[in-house]
Amino acid sequence: LSFLEDEIMEKITIVADCREDFPSTTNTKHYNDHYSRKSIQDIQMAIQKLGYLCEWMGGVKSLIQSLNGRYENTSTLYLNFSDGLMQKNRRMQAPLLLELMGVAYTGSDPFSVGVVNDKYFANKFLKEHNIRVPSSCLYHNLSNSKKISYPVVVKPNNEGSSLGIFQNSICSNMQEVEQQAQILEQQNYIPLIEEYIPGYEITNFIIGNSSKILLNEVILSEYNNNIYFDYFVFGQNEKAHGKRKQRVLTNENTLFSLNLVKEKSIFIFELLGLRDIARLDYRITKSGEPILIEVNSLPVFSMTSEIGTICHYYNKTLCDMLNLLIETAKERLKL
């Protein structure tokens, strides 16, 4: 009977590196941008409830072992939730290995992930397509750049999820810029100096592809009862300790156009060649203009992230959201 079930049921393999296997990026709580073991187990159980055979194979190291050994290139769909190991451009590691394995997987390909992961390059590219982004320059090119207009944010060029960002990352003079840049360089980051944009902090979460968008939600972030930020960034400490509150804006009267944000996000999503899932972060100015801050090609998919906020708002479950991701990938892959 077990053999027959294996033949009938489709199989999904989760690729995810585990938070507990990596050092913490904060001093007060064990936190990094990988999935906690509990979150991975929650995803596995939710997929099993959808009727799939499901296993968690591990992360990048397990993919390397599979590539060097023998693996079954079957109808298995690999659900990629891996942010890679510790190296620069680590977010490209899992999709590169999955491409080499020749298997079907969710999420964007290595090229698109690499483009998005390089904030400076991505901003230059998007600016050429009339997308409003903050002015920026790489720290080592600072002497060749135009005069800086303060305040600025000094952050890692090749990271996301607020890694390397704290309140001290907002700088008002060159001395502060140099101090923060040196801290990042000591951590092997490439420092990016970016214009600080005061405004409302929103994120646009997308599941789907160009032919069919299944989820397109705009979410507002709040901190200490504030929704407009003149001199504040959401850094590692705010995210690690759950101090940020978020809410879906679908039925709220806003000072800016939700449709404009959604349409802009879809345009950027397709322009960058992203697939299946993405999160786009904006600051909205007082005049209502959305300025793109960052694109994340592999946002966290857990009940403690934006997905959880969406689930609570619509009375949906993690199963429902995972089903959207699986179905959009299967349709793209023609599985």
Side-chain angles (χ1 to χ4, degrees):
L1 181 59
S2 176
F3 172 79
L4 292 175
E5 286 178 348
D6 286 357
E7 288 297 309
I8 294 170
M9 296 177 69
E10 295 179 85
K11 184 178 178 182
I12 288 180
T13 298
I14 299 169
V15 179
D17 291 279
C18 184
R19 175 175 298 172
E20 288 82 357
D21 295 335
F22 292 83
S24 177
T25 56
T26 64
N27 295 325
T28 54
K29 178 183 178 181
H30 190 90
Y31 175 82
N32 51 56
D33 64 340
H34 299 289
Y35 284 71
S36 68
R37 195 173 304 276
K38 182 183 182 304
S39 292
I40 296 170
Q41 291 169 346
D42 289 344
I43 291 171
Q44 185 176 10
M45 287 189 292
I47 293 172
Q48 289 169 345
K49 286 181 181 179
L50 291 171
Y52 295 95
L53 291 172
C54 183
E55 68 169 356
W56 170 38
M57 71 173 296
V60 167
K61 290 182 180 179
S62 296
L63 287 175
I64 293 171
Q65 290 174 355
S66 295
L67 188 61
N68 290 334
R70 297 183 64 182
Y71 60 91
E72 295 182 6
N73 188 356
T74 64
S75 59
T76 297
L77 175 64
Y78 287 76
L79 205 62
N80 179 28
F81 288 138
S82 171
D83 272 322
L85 301 178
M86 303 294 291
Q87 298 86 354
K88 194 186 307 178
N89 297 318
R90 59 195 176 90
R91 285 176 169 81
M92 297 173 64
Q93 291 172 347
L96 273 170
L97 290 166
L98 289 163
E99 286 283 346
L100 289 172
M101 291 168 64
V103 297
Y105 64 94
T106 62
S108 298
D109 65 26
F111 178 79
S112 294
V113 172
V115 169
V116 168
N117 197 54
D118 188 327
K119 291 184 177 68
Y120 178 68
F121 177 82
N123 279 4
K124 287 189 69 174
F125 174 75
L126 291 169
K127 192 179 292 185
E128 290 295 320
H129 290 82
N130 300 315
I131 301 297
R132 177 76 190 277
V133 295
S135 300
S136 63
C137 69
L138 296 173
Y139 178 63
H140 63 75
N141 287 338
L142 187 58
S143 60
N144 299 324
S145 65
K146 297 178 182 178
K147 184 179 179 181
I148 297 177
S149 178
Y150 295 101
V152 295
V153 181
V154 180
K155 59 185 182 181
N157 183 54
N158 297 97
E159 280 293 356
S161 303
S162 295
L163 288 184
I165 298 178
F166 299 90
Q167 296 312 312
N168 288 341
S169 299
I170 306 177
C171 301
S172 299
N173 55 60
M174 182 53 66
Q175 182 179 357
E176 293 177 356
V177 167
E178 291 176 347
Q179 181 178 3
Q180 293 305 311
Q182 288 171 9
I183 291 172
L184 292 180
E185 287 182 329
Q186 289 170 2
Q187 299 172 349
N188 296 318
Y189 290 134
I190 298 173
L192 176 71
I193 303 170
E194 184 177 273
E195 172 191 9
Y196 175 82
I197 305 294
Y200 303 94
E201 179 103 356
I202 68 162
T203 190
N204 194 177
F205 203 102
I206 293 173
I207 297 177
N209 285 294
S210 57
S211 59
K212 186 189 298 183
I213 300 298
L214 302 182
L215 182 75
N216 190 352
E217 292 294 337
V218 179
I219 298 170
L220 176 75
S221 291
E222 177 183 326
Y223 186 79
N224 283 345
N225 297 318
N226 293 317
I227 60 172
Y228 187 92
F229 304 105
D230 286 304
Y231 200 85
F232 178 85
V233 288
F234 283 97
Q236 287 181 243
N237 287 330
E238 289 73 29
K239 292 187 177 181
H241 296 283
K243 295 181 179 181
R244 177 184 61 171
K245 295 182 180 179
Q246 293 185 305
R247 67 176 190 261
V248 175
L249 293 178
T250 298
N251 291 319
E252 292 195 24
N253 293 322
T254 59
L255 299 175
F256 55 92
S257 169
L258 295 182
N259 286 335
L260 174 62
V261 173
K262 291 179 179 181
E263 291 170 3
K264 186 181 291 288
S265 293
I266 295 301
F267 176 76
I268 295 169
F269 183 89
E270 296 179 355
L271 182 65
L272 292 171
L274 300 176
R275 304 188 311 205
D276 301 337
I277 185 172
R279 195 194 75 222
L280 296 91
D281 299 334
Y282 296 87
R283 278 288 172 99
I284 309 294
T285 66
K286 284 185 177 178
S287 65
E289 181 183 12
I291 300 179
L292 182 72
I293 301 298
E294 181 177 325
V295 179
N296 189 328
S297 61
L298 194 62
V300 175
F301 208 103
S302 74
M303 292 302 289
T304 58
S305 70
E306 287 81 7
I307 279 294
T309 300
I310 295 168
C311 284
H312 292 312
Y313 183 82
Y314 288 105
N315 195 27
K316 299 291 185 180
T317 66
L318 185 60
C319 288
D320 296 324
M321 296 296 109
L322 283 164
N323 191 52
L324 291 182
L325 177 59
I326 292 167
E327 289 304 311
T328 196
K330 286 172 65 176
E331 183 173 336
R332 171 179 60 81
L333 294 162
K334 296 180 173 54
L335 294 179

